[in-house]
Amino acid sequence: MATRRTQAERKSETRTRLIDAAAELFARKGFHAVSAEAVAEAADRTTGALYSHFGGKEGLLLALLEVWKQRTVERLTAEIHQLPDPAPHFAAMWEAITAPAEDRGEAWLLLEIELWQHGARDPVLGPLIARRFAEIRGQLGEGLADWAEATGTSLPHPPDETGALVLGLLLGCALQHRLAPEAVPQELVVQALSTLLGLRDGSAGNPPPKEARP
């Protein structure tokens, strides 16, 4: 048992070292400019270990983006059920995509695009990336549906459609923001998300104001 645990720990350490090395190199140089050998060398591991754990650079990129996604999801959903106004949550979602972060710099969006390009051209990788997008849509839709139930809000679309629309809006706006930030400010994105979800003035869970009595 002790030997199996030690072996499992070694495998986990190797996986973590490869992902961390890929995060630094991909973020700094871009996916295409970095070889599998360079990642393995930076992680002080062999190229064989990289292929054993991830099947290649594309699998490593998938694993890296999954780690980033999970960290972001955990951070964003920590307090969503306590927010009667979703605007701060929408703003946090936007910042998670567009603002530099310690573990990824500004690389998240660029690497997502590179991964999508691979999937659009590769019949083997494509279904894996499609499944990943489906998981993201599901998490977005279910999270917003849970929030709507907790706050007594009625959303205009079922969870799966809500996730697809929110993800599409965020990514589409992020692509434009990457080249022209002033054209797509955060306030515009928050307002667009609120409109998409049928909320009033970027807020929900609050009844409409009563008419003044004479």
Side-chain angles (χ1 to χ4, degrees), residues 6-58:
T6 301
Q7 185 178 19
E9 290 171 356
R10 287 200 300 267
K11 288 183 177 180
S12 177
E13 180 185 1
T14 293
R15 182 180 177 88
T16 298
R17 289 176 70 98
L18 287 166
I19 288 176
D20 289 345
E24 196 277 328
L25 290 172
F26 290 167
R28 182 158 49 89
K29 298 183 177 181
F31 176 74
H32 291 292
V34 177
S35 66
E37 291 77 11
V39 175
E41 182 180 355
D44 194 24
R45 293 296 186 268
T46 65
T47 307
L50 186 153
Y51 279 89
S52 175
H53 280 271
F54 304 104
K57 262 195 354 174
E58 290 81 3

Side-chain angles (χ1 to χ4, degrees), residues 104-187:
R104 60 181 179 270
E106 296 181 311
W108 184 89
L109 181 63
L110 298 178
L111 292 178
E112 283 284 0
I113 294 170
E114 290 187 82
L115 184 64
W116 179 87
Q117 288 177 327
H118 277 290
R121 298 188 177 102
D122 189 325
V124 176
L125 190 60
L128 298 177
I129 300 173
R131 189 183 311 147
R132 181 173 181 275
F133 273 105
E135 291 173 356
I136 296 173
R137 291 194 299 269
Q139 288 178 324
L140 282 171
E142 291 171 8
L144 286 167
D146 289 345
W147 167 83
E149 182 178 358
T151 58
T153 303
S154 178
L155 298 178
H157 305 283
D160 55 341
E161 294 179 2
T162 297
L165 292 171
V166 170
L167 180 61
L169 192 154
L170 286 170
L171 290 180
C173 287
L175 288 175
Q176 300 176 71
H177 181 274
R178 182 64 177 78
L179 297 178
E182 70 285 351
V184 191
Q186 176 178 290
E187 294 78 10

